[in-house]
Amino acid sequence: MKFRFQSPAVFLIGPTATGKTDTAIKLAEKYPFEIISVDSAMVFKDMNIGTCKPSSQNLERIPHHLIDILKPDAKFDAGLFINYVESAVKNINKNNKIPLFAGGTMMFHKVLFDGMHDFPRDANLRQEINLTKKNNGYEHLLDELKQLDPETFQLIDVKNPRRVERALEIIKLTKTKLSLLKKEPSNKFFDSQKCLILGMNDSKKELDIAAERRLKNIITEGFLNELEKLINSYKLTSESHSMNSINYKQFFPHVMGAITFEEAFKNAISATRKLVKTQQTWMKKFDISLTKIGSDQNESRFFSDTIETYLKELK
């Protein structure tokens, strides 16, 4: 089987609040790595506090890729992710370094191993679909998808408008049911047998505590001011792709005066706990070489033997 990327790679995966960002930086300081962020929110500029983005000092000191590459009024999906990854991997290889993929957007990690279909895109058609939604309502799009491709309608997350709109775009462009197109072979990117996959995890109780502590720190650091400035600077709405990111989505209605701070905080904690549960389920789908549980040991030291063995085998 052919893979688009032939270079070795290290993956650091795990739920929110396990310390992946800091650990990746420590590993990049110690080993010949450059970090590729696998986070669907850190790609957006000026979304720093709410995403727990690395500090500007760390971004200058340690090479990072796929951070601050889009304005918050843009859209980002798996297709764009792969395009940026391709460019990043080429640059990292030129530097004689190894990509270290770190982040909690599990679907993107999975795409890198399982591949994805290279379905066509059309900006004009996307605008047409958005106009239909605006004029006739989201339910009209659901009805249209149900008629065009009942199988996809049954499987798709109807609560995610972006996926429904993308499905309609593909179906209309190809004149073929998406359910049929997905049965064709997909493009593969990385060979998991040639990569090192590391995990970070903890008990649900500890992660819940860490998530709440982190959210309190985010608020203290000025997250609400950041969010208000983002909304005003980029004319964002609740439907803006970036504003569907964790924390931003829950506090958006508070900044707009629709709900109280207490309600927003409660919603953010609830959403984060659901995300953590989902991320832990996703982890079972990866062939992880070594998983660090809890924070009782230095992360880079914990992974050292495994990484050094991997690097020796590459030589």
Side-chain angles (χ1 to χ4, degrees), residues 44-74:
F44 295 112
K45 297 175 182 178
D46 299 324
M47 288 174 55
N48 305 324
I49 299 172
T51 62
C52 297
K53 194 177 290 181
S55 66
S56 56
Q57 292 85 355
N58 279 331
L59 290 175
E60 290 177 8
R61 190 170 57 87
I62 303 294
H64 282 74
H65 303 264
L66 273 75
I67 290 182
D68 291 340
I69 57 176
L70 296 172
K71 292 181 179 180
D73 56 359

Side-chain angles (χ1 to χ4, degrees), residues 138-157:
Y138 180 54
E139 289 296 324
H140 181 85
L141 295 187
L142 292 177
D143 290 339
E144 192 173 9
L145 179 60
K146 189 174 183 179
Q147 290 177 8
L148 293 173
D149 190 347
E151 186 176 342
T152 294
F153 177 79
Q154 290 297 324
L155 296 174
I156 205 166
D157 179 6

Side-chain angles (χ1 to χ4, degrees), residues 235-274:
K235 311 301 180 189
L236 303 176
T237 70
S238 59
E239 292 190 3
S240 299
H241 195 159
S242 61
M243 292 298 101
N244 277 278
S245 304
I246 201 83
N247 296 328
Y248 295 87
K249 180 176 183 177
Q250 289 73 37
F251 279 93
F252 188 99
H254 167 64
V255 170
M256 301 303 289
I259 63 174
T260 66
F261 172 83
E262 289 74 20
E263 287 174 309
F265 190 92
K266 181 180 178 181
N267 292 341
I269 289 295
S270 176
T272 302
R273 287 175 177 170
K274 288 179 182 177

Side-chain angles (χ1 to χ4, degrees), residues 262-303:
E262 289 74 20
E263 287 174 309
F265 190 92
K266 181 180 178 181
N267 292 341
I269 289 295
S270 176
T272 302
R273 287 175 177 170
K274 288 179 182 177
L275 174 62
V276 166
K277 185 178 179 180
T278 300
Q279 289 171 318
Q280 288 184 313
T281 300
W282 268 98
M283 286 188 74
K284 298 174 184 177
K285 301 179 182 181
F286 296 94
D287 185 15
I288 299 174
S289 300
L290 181 66
T291 300
K292 183 180 183 300
I293 305 295
S295 56
D296 57 339
Q297 188 175 352
N298 180 280
E299 292 85 353
S300 57
R301 193 183 309 128
F302 178 83
F303 292 127

Side-chain angles (χ1 to χ4, degrees), residues 29-211:
E29 289 174 329
K30 189 174 182 180
Y31 298 106
F33 299 153
E34 288 190 19
I35 299 167
I36 297 181
S37 172
V38 188
D39 188 296
S40 59
M42 287 189 189
V43 297
F44 295 112
K45 297 175 182 178
D46 299 324
M47 288 174 55
N48 305 324
I49 299 172
T51 62
C52 297
K53 194 177 290 181
S55 66
S56 56
Q57 292 85 355
N58 279 331
L59 290 175
E60 290 177 8
R61 190 170 57 87
I62 303 294
H64 282 74
H65 303 264
L66 273 75
I67 290 182
D68 291 340
I69 57 176
L70 296 172
K71 292 181 179 180
D73 56 359
K75 288 187 176 182
F76 189 66
D77 59 20
L80 280 174
F81 171 73
I82 290 299
N83 289 341
Y84 281 108
V85 164
E86 189 158 21
S87 176
V89 170
K90 285 180 180 177
N91 289 329
I92 292 170
N93 289 340
K94 286 180 183 177
N95 296 334
N96 294 316
K97 296 291 184 69
I98 295 171
L100 169 59
F101 291 89
T105 304
M106 298 296 190
M107 184 187 75
F108 287 177
H109 279 292
K110 197 65 175 169
V111 161
L112 288 171
F113 292 124
D114 289 357
M116 65 180 291
H117 294 88
D118 191 16
F119 296 132
R121 297 172 179 275
D122 186 287
N124 291 329
L125 180 55
R126 283 200 302 276
Q127 288 182 353
E128 182 183 311
I129 292 171
N130 285 327
L131 186 62
T132 299
K133 182 175 70 171
K134 183 178 180 181
N135 292 336
N136 303 314
Y138 180 54
E139 289 296 324
H140 181 85
L141 295 187
L142 292 177
D143 290 339
E144 192 173 9
L145 179 60
K146 189 174 183 179
Q147 290 177 8
L148 293 173
D149 190 347
E151 186 176 342
T152 294
F153 177 79
Q154 290 297 324
L155 296 174
I156 205 166
D157 179 6
V158 295
K159 294 182 180 179
N160 190 327
R162 290 194 303 275
R163 291 189 183 179
V164 171
E165 291 164 21
R166 176 64 176 141
L168 284 170
E169 179 188 4
I170 295 167
I171 292 167
K172 291 184 176 185
L173 276 174
T174 61
K175 313 292 186 189
T176 308
K177 291 181 179 180
L178 180 57
S179 53
L180 293 177
L181 292 172
K182 284 189 172 181
K183 292 174 183 178
E184 298 176 0
S186 60
N187 296 317
K188 302 289 185 180
F189 302 108
F190 279 100
D191 182 354
S192 62
Q193 300 302 312
K194 295 182 180 179
C195 297
L196 176 62
I197 307 176
L198 305 173
M200 297 184 70
N201 209 343
D202 209 336
S203 68
K204 184 180 182 302
K205 179 182 177 181
E206 290 301 321
L207 287 175
D208 285 349
I209 293 171

